[in-house]
Amino acid sequence: MTTIKTRICMISDTHTASPHPPQKTDNAYRYPLPKANILLHAGDLTKVGYRVEHEAMIAMLTDADAELKLVIAGNHDITLDEEYFTTFGYKRHKRPEKLGKESILLSDDNLQTTLRTSSTDNPNTDSLKAYVRSIKSLWTSDAARNAGIIYLEEGIHSFTLSTGATFTLYASPYQPEFYNWAFPYTRDQDRYNPAPDAQTQPQNPIPDYPAIDILLTHGPPAGVLDQVPPDMNVGCEHLLRAARRAKPRLHLFGHIHEGWGAQRGVWDDEGGGGGVKLEDVPTDAEEMLENRGAFYDVSAEAERPLRVGEETLFVNGSIMTVNYQARNAPWVVDLELPVSER
C-alpha cells in the first residue's frame, strides 16, 4: 500500500478558550496553531454550549491553517445533544455564565431570556428543539464547510485530502455518564462492540481492523491517559476493547484534563493491561513553548515508524488543565496515511 506523510494537529477540551496571543511565549497554546494537513478537535468546545461560545470556537477554527478540520462534541457541548438539552440540559442555561475573566449575562436570543425569567421548569419543547438545531446549523453551515470545518456525528466517516491522502475515521462524542452532562451512557452499556448473542446491538459499532485509520472520541479508553486523583482510571473498558479490535493508527480523545499526553500502545491480546502495552511519549517543555505544540513523528521517515496493525498512538489532547487553565500544548503528529488510488 502506498502512503504519504501527513501532519495532524490535535486539540480537545478548549472550553471556549482561544489560543493566547502570539507574544505570550510562556504558553504553548497560542496563536497561530501549528500548520497541519488535518486538525482534530475531540470535544468540549465550550463551557456550557451558549451560541456565543460556539461562534467563538468556529471563528478560532476558521483561522487555523489546515485543509480539513474535524470536530466532535463533548459532554459540555450541551446544545449539540438535542435529547439531553430538551429534557434537562436547558436548566444549565437558566443562569449567567462566566466566560474568561468577564462575567457576561448572555442573551443569545429570546429563548435565553425566557429560560432565565420563567417561573416554570417546563419550557416549550419545540422552542428548545429549534434552539438546539440552530446551534448545530452553525457547525454545518456553508461558511463552516468553506473554512474546512466538518462537524461529525457518531459513526464512520471517510475523507481524501488534496495531497491524495485518504483515511477513514470513527467518531463518537459519548462517554460514561459524568455528573449529568451531555452525551452520556451508563458504564454497563457497550456502545462500541457488536454482541452476536445480545438482543440489543449498538447503533454505531466500531469496526474491526483495518477498517479505520483514526479513532476520535471525547472520552478515553480504560487505563490510557485517564487517571484522576487519587489513583483512579475512569476511561471506558468497552472503548478499549473496541480499540483493540480496530487497531487504529491514531486515537485522539480528551475529557480527562489531567491525562494530557501521548502514549504508544503495542497490542498484545495475550498480555495483561487490557491487551495493550503502553509507553509514554516524552516531551520537552522548552521545545513545546518554542514550537507552540508537542511534536512527534511516527512517519516512515521517523526513527521509530508506527507499526500499523500492531501499534496505536494514543493522544489525550486536553488544552485545559484540571484547574481550567488553557495551558496544555496542542499535539502535532506526523504519520503515514494511505494514498487514494484514484
Side-chain angles (χ1 to χ4, degrees), residues 23-310:
Q23 62 270 25
K24 194 171 174 59
T25 55
D26 62 339
N27 200 308
Y29 180 58
R30 66 183 191 274
Y31 277 115
L33 289 174
K35 181 178 180 180
N37 301 106
I38 306 166
L39 188 151
L40 301 178
H41 195 306
D44 275 4
L45 299 142
T46 67
K47 286 186 175 181
V48 71
Y50 284 103
R51 181 188 302 277
V52 67
E53 294 185 272
H54 287 290
E55 290 173 341
M57 289 295 93
I58 290 171
M60 183 268 279
L61 291 170
T62 297
D63 285 344
D65 192 349
E67 177 181 345
L68 192 60
K69 305 155 190 180
L70 305 180
V71 177
I72 61 171
N75 56 291
H76 278 257
D77 303 317
I78 64 175
T79 41
L80 292 172
D81 185 344
E82 183 172 311
E83 179 182 358
Y84 169 82
F85 189 78
T86 55
T87 56
F88 176 82
Y90 69 86
K91 297 179 182 179
R92 296 187 184 274
H93 278 203
K94 292 174 74 71
R95 62 185 189 276
E97 279 296 320
K98 287 186 176 180
L99 297 182
K101 295 181 179 179
E102 300 179 13
S103 180
I104 306 172
L105 182 63
L106 297 172
S107 53
D108 286 347
D109 51 29
N110 291 335
L111 175 63
Q112 295 303 316
T113 303
T114 301
L115 287 174
R116 291 198 185 87
T117 59
S118 175
S119 59
T120 177
D121 281 337
N122 298 300
N124 182 276
T125 301
D126 288 339
S127 295
L128 294 176
K129 287 182 178 179
Y131 179 65
V132 166
R133 291 170 188 179
S134 74
I135 296 296
K136 185 170 288 185
S137 71
L138 295 173
W139 288 99
T140 58
S141 67
D142 288 342
R145 280 270 177 172
N146 291 338
I149 299 170
I150 300 179
Y151 175 76
L152 302 176
E153 305 278 5
E154 184 178 71
I156 300 168
H157 309 268
S158 295
F159 304 94
T160 300
L161 298 174
S162 60
T163 62
T166 183
F167 64 98
T168 299
L169 176 150
Y170 178 94
S172 178
Y174 292 88
Q175 72 285 304
E177 196 281 326
F178 186 77
Y179 293 105
N180 202 16
W181 284 90
F183 298 102
Y185 57 86
T186 59
R187 283 200 172 267
D188 60 358
Q189 178 187 357
D190 188 348
R191 293 192 68 88
Y192 307 114
N193 297 284
D197 299 327
Q199 289 184 334
T200 304
Q201 297 291 331
Q203 279 189 309
N204 301 298
I206 294 175
D208 288 344
Y209 176 80
I212 61 170
D213 302 289
I214 298 174
L215 189 52
L216 176 63
T217 61
H218 181 58
V224 185
L225 302 168
D226 69 335
Q227 194 171 88
V228 299
D231 287 305
M232 293 178 57
N233 294 99
V234 294
C236 177
E237 293 182 1
H238 303 300
L239 180 56
L240 177 63
R241 191 163 76 256
R244 186 167 64 244
R245 285 191 300 100
K247 297 179 174 61
R249 300 164 192 252
L250 174 68
H251 184 182
L252 171 66
F253 48 88
H255 188 46
I256 304 304
H257 297 183
E258 49 268 67
W260 177 91
Q263 292 180 322
R264 292 179 80 126
V266 178
W267 297 109
D268 179 8
D269 292 337
E270 297 180 359
V276 62
K277 182 180 179 181
L278 298 168
E279 175 191 339
D280 288 340
V281 173
T283 57
D284 183 283
E286 290 186 5
E287 288 183 359
M288 287 191 294
L289 288 175
E290 181 180 351
N291 298 326
R292 306 186 314 282
F295 283 69
Y296 190 54
D297 189 356
V298 290
S299 71
E301 300 172 1
E303 290 185 11
R304 290 179 58 195
L306 189 78
R307 292 176 292 151
V308 177
E310 298 179 34

